[in-house]
């Protein structure tokens, strides 16, 4: 379990919780995303997220939640509109620049973990730092993250041997490896049983409490209510509430 | 059946992968067709061409002054079959390079025949141009000295003949053909009759047939022609066989890998279909259909490409063997298709059986979860290697699929072996050719014998710039035990400067000593250290075995060893002192009335040109097959791992890093394959080249076999890496361009 008293994030990573005065972290302005069928996954949507905020994106399947997350992560580009994260116009980035942006700014957590099964837990966590060419201190930081997330005993294990909750913790550790100012989580409890889901929920609450900006996509109203400081509901690619 | 169609159609929707499968199979089948043709062409090339042309067992020449046409024609009754008489004449020509200029060609026996292949015997094959229609047109035998259509030949009487084509008679009945009227116009000297006999297989029988024609009739037995052809073809059979076998192995490997990969990549789809009720038997049928459809399309394209490429290839081979080109050979095409289907079936059946037996839940997991345990150690070691992470991930990747790794490794190894062999072969042949061109290439100036019979040494000694020189002249040397005189080269001065390689012993240093070729030792049964005797000279001690690029009986000795040759004229080979201007030196000799010329290496001879183009074509083909094999393997691998690629990109891997990762994934098979392929190619070269030489009746010095410098071997070993990287470039670009969101959604 998470040692809450010590905090989820290593001390250096902790920031101040969001306040009304917090600067904008994400600025999505009039964004649309259409696919080849010309159906709009997002339709002139605008959204602002403050630094230190925890935003939950809710909505039925096909409402555009994951598409919006992909645009913020620089995994996809809008057909219209602008996406600015931490002052960077993400919608204008080339593939290489988007990759560098993700390394520096974004930590991604997926519904199905997306861990690489032929790498050990430690090697999975180290991966973002290694891809970014960071070597000094990364192994220590990975160890520290595994300890604070309570999975250090699995450091040398392969992901296939872990429970769903443990795998998602590894995925969170990997997402936090490069100290990203923004954590994006796509259905982080969607593939987990109740107990594991509760573990991850607690983890996200602790992370946010320590100042981590989080945007998560979820169907889980309980998770949104427990973790998010604000919820946005999407329907047919537009903000419904 | 519709479920099976669904599985098959699913694979077809993967356009890139399907195109690569079709292309790789097509290329492999092309290689199979060409390899099959090479092996077929290398198997009894003379016998096949002789049968095809219905060759003449005996060619007889009757002197027109002594034999009438009817008398010649009457001899037909002595044979099972005969054609003729054809009018013949001998012409001496030179190439028309302007008034009084142009090299003189060897005398040609020209036969007057109205058509090339309509006679019952010796159906000469027209290789280019057309058969003579006018009296001043001539078709000549294709030799190393290519005389293209349109070439004008000047006769000694000043009139000209126009070359209108090239032809080949496997029976070698003539060196040229004209219309009968054309021969008559030149001045017919005789009649030619061509015979076939029921019993023509032995020297005794052929001698009896020759005797039956009567004394004074010049004849040529097919047995002699066959012996000459065998001498020539034996030189190249090991070469072509080696290429053919490498091609077949590579093709089988690539087709097998393509097939197994196709089925493996569809496993998840099969899992879905099994979950929906597909039976194991249906899975097997679906897998086989899925492998066979693109495989057969590729095979069909490969046959077409193979037959098209066969045209220049078989022409080259025929030139090499001195035979006639094979036409498209249906049985080779059929064998290639059957072989391709067998390899596809043999590879697909176990893969299909495995897919049918795979638990549905495991099949569904394919693509997301690699089989447990495989490649983990490699991944672990790579992670700690200190290399950039994109490279280390790529390097470890192939170990998750050991079978595919092994095939990739073998593919690179065979491609590298083919390149190593081809480069070594070209180098060896060049060295053999270089030996054949000595002593011209080892001297700076060649001084021709003075017309007035004076001794040029006085002038040479008095001319500034003369370094060393020696004289050399031809001589027939009678040797007891040899039916015909050996071709002798007698020298004055220190002829070691000619620079021949010694196979054994040493160069002669005194009269009474001689060095000889391997052909001489074989023909006489002598060894280095033995003494030979003969008319016109004293005992000659054989002090060395020399390599001069020839298989004939050559003997080199000091002019003083052969007193009967004392009137021989010599050409003088001069080595200039360093810094001497050759042009100025030649002018100085000319001013002293000595005729001299700068020595130069002759251009590569026709055989080498053919060999070069043949080896280049075959090497390019084999390397392309290997590269396509790699391309196919990497495409399959990238498709299988597209989700992982998406994960890497989502974690910040740039397109360049992604491309580097994919290219690095072939690094280990490329390196190990290269390292394994180089010694394999080296060994094939070290087997094939001496075998070629032995077939031709020569022994090669080590210097012509040890042609691989360490640096060259290192470059060739690295070439495996480049070959693999070349094959991975396309999929690397595809992986780099793949949108991360799309890759992450891909199952």
């Amino acid at each position: 379990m998470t040692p809450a008293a010590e905090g989820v994030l290593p001390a250096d990573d902790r920031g101040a919780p969001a306040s009304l005065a917090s600067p904008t972290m994400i600025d999505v302005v009039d964004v649309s995303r259409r696919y080849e069928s010309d159906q709009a996954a997002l339709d002139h949507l605008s959204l602002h997220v403050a630094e230190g905020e925890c935003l939950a994106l809710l909505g039925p399947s096909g409402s555009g939640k994951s598409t919006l997350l992909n645009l913020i992560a620089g995994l996809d580009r809008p057909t219209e509109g602008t996406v600015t994260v931490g002052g960077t116009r993400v919608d204008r980035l080339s593939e290489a620049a988007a990759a560098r942006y993700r390394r520096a700014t974004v930590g991604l957590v997926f519904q199905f973990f997306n861990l690489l099964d032929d790498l050990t837990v430690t090697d999975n966590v180290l991966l973002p730092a290694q891809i970014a060419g960071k070597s000094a201190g990364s192994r220590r930081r990975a160890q520290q993250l595994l300890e604070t997330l309570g999975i250090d005993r699995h450091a040398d294990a392969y992901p296939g041997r872990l429970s769903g909750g443990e795998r998602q913790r590894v995925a969170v550790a990997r997402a936090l490896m490069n100290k990203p100012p923004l954590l994006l989580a796509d259905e982080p409890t969607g593939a987990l049983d109740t107990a594991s889901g509760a573990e991850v929920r607690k983890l996200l609450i602790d992370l946010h409490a320590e100042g981590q900006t989080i945007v998560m996509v979820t169907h889980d109203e309980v998770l949104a209510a427990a973790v998010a400081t604000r919820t946005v509901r999407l329907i047919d690619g537009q903000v419904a509430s | 059946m519709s479920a099976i169609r669904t599985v098959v159609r699913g694979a077809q929707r993967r356009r890139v992968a399907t195109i690569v499968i079709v292309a790789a199979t097509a290329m492999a089948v092309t290689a199979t067709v060409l390899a099959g043709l090479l092996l077929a062409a290398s198997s009894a090339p003379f016998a096949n061409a002789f049968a095809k042309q219905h060759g003449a067992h005996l060619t007889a020449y009757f002197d027109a002054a002594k034999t009438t046409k009817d008398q010649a024609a009457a001899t037909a009754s002595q044979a099972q079959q005969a054609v003729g008489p054809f009018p013949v004449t001998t012409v001496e020509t030179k190439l028309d390079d302007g008034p009084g200029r142009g090299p003189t060609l060897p005398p040609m026996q020209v036969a007057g025949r109205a058509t090339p292949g309509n006679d019952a015997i010796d159906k000469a094959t027209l290789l280019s141009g057309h058969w003579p229609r006018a009296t001043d047109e001539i078709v000549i035998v294709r030799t190393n000295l290519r005389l293209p259509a349109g070439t004008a030949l000047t006769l000694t009487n000043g009139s000209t003949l126009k070359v209108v084509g090239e032809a080949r008679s496997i029976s070698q009945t003539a060196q040229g053909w004209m219309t009968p009227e054309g021969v008559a116009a030149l001045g017919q000297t005789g009649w030619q009759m061509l015979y076939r006999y029921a019993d023509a297989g032995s020297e005794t029988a052929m001698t009896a047939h020759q005797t039956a024609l009567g004394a004074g009739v010049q004849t040529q037995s097919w047995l002699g022609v066959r012996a000459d052809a065998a001498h020539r073809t034996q030189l190249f059979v090991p070469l072509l066989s080696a290429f053919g076998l490498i091609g077949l192995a590579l093709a089988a490997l690539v087709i097998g890998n393509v097939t197994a990969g196709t089925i493996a990549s569809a496993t998840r789809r099969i899992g879905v279909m099994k979950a929906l009720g597909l039976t194991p038997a249906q899975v097997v049928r679906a897998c086989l259909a899925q492998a066979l459809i693109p495989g057969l399309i590729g095979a069909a394209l490969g046959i077409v490409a193979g037959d098209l490429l066969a045209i220049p290839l078989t022409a080259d081979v025929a030139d090499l063997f001195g035979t006639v080109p094979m036409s498209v050979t249906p049985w080779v095409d059929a064998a290639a298709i059957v072989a391709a289907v067998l390899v596809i079936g043999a590879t697909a059946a176990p893969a299909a059986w495995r897919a049918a037996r795979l638990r549905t839940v495991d099949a569904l997991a394919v693509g997301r979860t690699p089989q447990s345990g495989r490649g983990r150690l490699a991944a672990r070691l790579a992670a700690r290697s200190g290399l950039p992470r994109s490279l280390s991930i790529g390097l470890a990747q192939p170990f998750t699929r050991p079978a595919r790794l092994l095939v990739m490794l073998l593919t690179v190894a065979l491609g590298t072996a083919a390149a190593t062999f081809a480069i070594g072969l070209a180098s060896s042949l060049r060295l053999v050719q270089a030996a054949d061109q000595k002593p011209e290439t080892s001297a700076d100036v060649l001084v021709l014998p003075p017309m007035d019979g004076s001794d040029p040494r006085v002038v040479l000694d008095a001319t500034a710039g003369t370094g060393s020189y020696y004289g050399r002249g031809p001589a027939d040397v009678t040797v007891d035990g040899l039916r015909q005189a050996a071709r002798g080269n007698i020298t004055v001065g220190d002829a070691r400067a000619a620079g021949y390689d010694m196979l054994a012993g040493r160069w002669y240093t005194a009269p009474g000593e001689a060095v000889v070729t391997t052909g001489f030792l074989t023909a006489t049964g002598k060894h280095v250290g033995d003494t030979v005797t003969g008319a016109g000279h004293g005992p000659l001690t054989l002090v060395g075995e020399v390599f001069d690029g020839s298989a004939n009986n050559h003997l080199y000795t000091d002019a003083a060893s052969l007193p009967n040759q004392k009137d021989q004229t010599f050409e003088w080979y001069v080595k200039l002192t360093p810094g001497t201007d050759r042009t100025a030196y030649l002018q100085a000799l000319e001013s002293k009335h000595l005729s001299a010329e700068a020595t130069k290496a002759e251009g590569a001879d026709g055989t080498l040109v053919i060999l070069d183009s043949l080896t280049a074509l075959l090497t390019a083909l084999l390397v392309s097959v290997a590269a396509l094999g790699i391309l196919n393997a990497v495409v399959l691998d990238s498709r299988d791992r597209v989700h992982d690629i998406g994960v890497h990109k989502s974690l910040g891997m740039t397109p360049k890093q992604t491309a580097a990762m994919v290219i690095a994934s072939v690094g280990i098979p490329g390196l190990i394959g290269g390292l394994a392929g180089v010694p394999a190619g080296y060994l094939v070269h070290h087997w094939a080249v001496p075998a070629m030489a032995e077939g031709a009746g020569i022994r090669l010095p080590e210097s012509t076999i040890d042609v691989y410098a360490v640096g060259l071997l290192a470059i060739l070993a690295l070439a495996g890496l480049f070959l693999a990287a070349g094959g991975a470039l396309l999929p690397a670009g595809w992986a780099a361009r793949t949108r991360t969101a799309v890759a992450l959604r891909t199952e």
Side-chain angles (χ1 to χ4, degrees):
Chain A
M1 292 299 105
T2 311
E6 294 172 20
V8 174
L9 290 173
D12 293 352
D13 295 9
R14 293 173 199 165
S19 70
L20 286 174
S22 296
T24 300
M25 165 67 85
I26 302 169
D27 203 3
V28 176
V29 180
D30 202 24
V31 154
S32 295
R33 178 69 174 100
R34 289 186 187 80
Y35 292 105
E36 284 167 13
S37 59
D38 209 36
Q39 191 185 349
L42 292 175
D43 190 7
H44 297 286
L45 179 144
S46 295
L47 186 74
H48 308 281
V49 179
E51 220 171 73
E53 195 177 358
C54 178
L55 175 74
L57 293 169
L58 295 167
S61 292
S63 60
K65 306 183 299 288
S66 294
T67 302
L68 179 57
L69 206 71
N70 284 346
L71 295 183
I72 295 169
L75 298 175
D76 200 358
R77 284 185 199 163
T79 317
E80 290 173 61
T82 63
V83 179
T84 309
V85 179
T88 303
R89 276 286 295 275
V90 180
D91 57 286
R92 283 183 177 173
L93 297 177
S94 66
E95 274 290 304
R100 284 191 288 272
Y101 152 77
R102 279 194 294 277
R103 284 179 198 167
T105 312
V106 178
L108 279 165
V109 177
F110 302 93
Q111 179 179 4
F112 292 105
F113 328 124
N114 281 338
L115 298 174
L116 298 173
D117 293 281
D118 52 350
L119 299 184
T120 62
V121 164
T122 302
D123 286 337
N124 263 289
V125 175
L126 277 170
L127 204 52
Q130 291 170 327
I131 288 173
K134 296 177 188 167
S135 53
S138 21
R139 196 160 284 278
R140 198 172 60 245
R141 175 166 172 79
Q143 186 59 33
Q144 207 174 12
L145 280 167
L146 292 176
E147 278 170 18
T148 53
L149 292 171
I151 43 173
D152 53 316
R153 66 183 184 283
H154 297 305
D156 292 327
Y158 288 92
R161 296 178 57 187
L162 306 186
S163 71
E166 287 167 335
R167 280 193 234 183
Q168 198 59 298
R169 281 172 176 276
V170 176
V172 171
R174 185 179 67 181
L176 296 174
M177 183 66 200
N178 283 351
K179 303 181 184 175
L182 176 62
L183 184 68
L184 301 176
D186 190 358
E187 302 281 8
T189 58
L192 301 179
D193 58 41
T194 312
S196 300
E199 261 180 51
V200 172
R201 186 164 61 233
K202 170 88 171 56
L203 175 61
L204 292 171
I205 291 169
D206 291 345
L207 282 170
H208 177 240
E210 288 166 21
Q212 178 70 52
T213 308
I214 301 173
V215 175
M216 65 176 169
V217 163
T218 184
H219 279 98
D220 186 345
E221 301 273 357
V222 177
L223 174 69
V227 181
T229 50
R230 183 158 64 105
T231 60
V232 169
R233 200 170 295 274
L234 301 186
I235 294 177
D236 294 335
Q238 293 177 320
V239 176
S241 60
Chain B
M1 194 62 199
S2 59
I4 293 172
R5 207 174 291 149
T6 307
V7 175
V8 174
R9 214 178 283 154
Q12 287 166 347
R13 264 205 293 274
R14 296 174 152 197
R15 259 184 310 172
V16 175
T18 307
I19 289 169
V20 171
I21 290 164
V22 170
T25 312
M27 201 71 151
V29 171
T30 301
T32 307
V33 170
L34 295 183
L37 277 174
L38 285 183
L39 293 176
S42 305
S43 163
F46 178 83
N48 289 331
F50 193 82
K52 190 174 176 182
Q53 287 195 347
H54 211 60
H57 288 140
L58 197 66
T59 304
Y61 171 81
F62 297 88
D63 188 341
K66 299 175 187 168
T67 313
T68 65
K69 183 178 181 182
D70 290 342
Q71 285 171 326
T75 59
S77 60
Q78 297 177 16
Q80 186 186 39
Q81 199 176 13
V83 294
F86 303 114
V88 288
T89 188
T90 301
V91 295
E92 289 190 20
T93 59
K94 55 182 176 180
L95 282 174
D96 188 8
D97 277 3
R101 293 170 56 196
T104 302
L105 300 177
M108 277 193 289
Q109 190 172 67
V110 180
R113 283 167 69 170
T115 57
N118 290 358
D119 296 304
I121 301 175
D122 188 32
K123 299 171 186 289
T125 307
L126 189 64
L127 299 170
S128 68
H130 65 82
W131 201 251
R133 295 169 192 144
T135 53
D136 64 343
E137 292 181 343
I138 184 169
V139 158
I140 56 161
V141 161
R142 179 178 282 181
T143 61
N144 288 343
L145 178 66
R146 289 286 180 88
L147 297 176
T151 304
L153 302 176
T154 307
L155 294 161
T156 44
N157 65 6
S159 60
T160 56
L161 293 176
K162 194 168 101 185
V163 176
V164 294
E166 292 173 297
R168 184 166 283 143
S169 154
I170 197 72
S171 315
Q172 297 180 14
T173 56
Q175 286 87 49
W177 292 272
M178 297 175 70
T179 60
E181 298 76 21
V183 172
L186 288 178
Q188 179 188 347
T189 56
W191 297 104
Q192 184 188 67
M193 286 291 294
L194 309 176
Y195 310 94
R196 280 181 69 88
Y197 300 96
D199 57 334
S202 67
E203 285 282 3
T204 315
M206 289 309 298
T207 305
H209 295 312
Q210 287 166 303
T211 310
L213 289 174
V217 180
Q218 292 176 31
T219 56
Q220 175 183 270
S221 164
W222 78 295
L223 295 177
V225 176
R226 186 176 69 174
D228 286 347
H231 196 70
R232 185 177 171 86
T233 55
Q234 276 168 4
L235 184 63
F236 303 113
V237 165
L239 158 74
L240 299 184
S241 303
F243 266 118
L245 292 173
I246 291 175
L248 286 179
L250 201 53
L253 207 61
V254 168
I255 293 175
N257 189 31
V258 164
T259 308
T262 309
I263 293 173
S265 68
T267 306
R268 188 158 194 277
R269 191 175 187 83
I270 289 165
V272 173
M273 299 306 289
K274 281 179 85 174
L276 298 177
L278 204 69
T279 66
Q282 285 175 310
V283 170
V284 171
R285 284 206 296 275
C287 287
L288 289 176
Q290 188 183 322
L292 278 170
I293 290 170
L296 284 177
I297 294 170
L301 292 173
I303 293 289
V304 173
D307 285 347
L308 287 175
L309 275 175
I311 295 167
L313 180 86
T314 52
D316 275 355
V317 172
D319 283 343
L320 208 55
F321 285 161
T323 57
V324 290
M326 290 174 76
S327 47
V328 168
T329 314
W331 73 262
V332 171
D333 289 354
I337 290 265
V338 169
V341 169
L342 284 178
V343 173
I344 292 170
T347 326
W353 181 241
R354 228 176 15 250
R357 289 179 54 195
L358 196 64
R359 289 191 315 148
T360 307
V361 65
D362 293 336
L364 285 169
V366 169
R368 302 192 76 97
T369 313
Q371 297 188 16
S372 59
R374 282 183 182 163
R376 285 180 173 170
L377 178 63
R380 220 167 176 151
L381 292 173
R384 280 148 189 73
S385 65
L387 288 168
R389 197 63 181 113
S390 51
L391 295 184
S392 61
I393 291 171
L395 285 174
Q397 227 165 55
F399 292 94
T400 56
R401 291 185 181 275
R404 196 175 286 170
L405 168 65
L406 185 66
V407 170
M408 212 189 287
L409 204 143
L410 282 172
T411 306
V412 175
L414 281 172
T416 315
T420 305
F421 172 55
I423 289 172
L425 181 73
S427 305
S428 291
L429 291 173
R430 294 210 171 282
L431 289 172
V432 172
Q433 189 201 24
D436 199 34
Q437 291 188 341
K438 286 173 183 172
E440 282 79 3
T441 49
S442 46
D444 297 315
V445 168
L446 171 63
V447 178
L448 302 174
M451 300 295 278
D452 60 3
S454 62
D455 190 339
R457 282 178 282 188
V458 180
V459 176
L460 290 175
D461 288 337
T463 305
T466 302
S468 60
Y469 60 84
Y470 66 94
R472 172 177 155 144
D476 286 338
V477 184
T478 310
V479 175
D480 294 336
L482 276 183
R483 276 190 301 172
Q484 290 181 328
R487 183 180 148 195
N489 288 285
I490 52 174
T491 59
V492 177
D494 189 355
R496 274 177 296 192
Y500 288 119
D501 279 318
M502 298 302 293
L503 293 164
R506 58 172 175 81
W507 192 255
Y508 56 86
T509 53
E513 292 182 342
V515 297
V516 293
T517 56
T518 307
F520 183 98
L521 293 177
T522 308
T524 57
K526 298 285 184 184
H527 300 93
V528 172
D530 290 350
T531 298
V532 293
T533 54
H537 60 84
L540 290 172
T541 305
L542 308 180
V543 296
E545 182 183 355
V546 67
F547 175 70
D548 65 0
S550 167
N552 296 327
N553 305 337
H554 290 181
L555 180 145
Y556 297 79
T557 187
D558 193 284
S561 303
L562 302 176
N564 63 333
Q565 306 277 347
K566 62 180 187 305
D567 296 329
Q568 181 57 262
T569 55
F570 296 96
E571 292 178 329
W572 297 85
Y573 293 89
V574 182
K575 193 88 183 158
L576 301 180
T577 52
T580 304
D581 179 349
R582 186 156 66 168
T583 310
Y585 183 82
L586 287 169
Q587 285 168 347
L589 292 184
E590 198 175 347
S591 69
K592 295 171 185 172
H593 310 293
L594 261 190
S595 184
E597 57 191 42
T599 55
K600 60 178 190 303
E602 290 164 18
D605 74 16
T607 305
L608 269 181
V609 171
I610 296 165
L611 262 181
D612 278 354
S613 74
L614 199 59
T615 41
L617 173 70
L618 294 171
T619 308
L621 183 80
L622 294 182
V623 169
S624 303
V625 172
L628 260 178
I630 300 288
L631 169 67
N632 171 65
V634 181
V635 164
L636 288 174
D637 215 50
S638 302
R639 292 277 168 185
D640 290 350
R641 303 187 72 100
V642 63
H643 190 264
D644 286 358
I645 289 171
V647 173
H648 287 125
K649 293 182 115 181
S650 76
L651 296 177
M653 192 175 268
T654 62
K656 272 186 190 164
Q657 285 177 310
T658 311
M661 178 178 73
V662 174
I663 292 173
S665 72
V666 297
I668 287 179
L671 190 64
I672 298 177
L675 288 173
V678 167
Y682 180 95
L683 289 175
V684 172
H685 171 267
H686 275 51
W687 161 78
V689 172
M692 284 166 66
E694 196 182 325
I698 54 178
R699 201 154 72 88
L700 297 176
E702 280 301 306
S703 60
T704 58
I705 298 170
D706 284 337
V707 292
Y708 296 103
V710 176
L712 174 65
L713 289 175
I715 290 169
L716 283 167
L718 286 177
L721 203 55
F722 287 113
L723 170 69
L729 271 182
L730 274 177
W734 168 80
R737 283 193 306 275
T738 301
R739 305 282 302 176
T740 313
V742 175
L744 283 171
R745 277 201 301 273
T746 307
E747 291 183 343

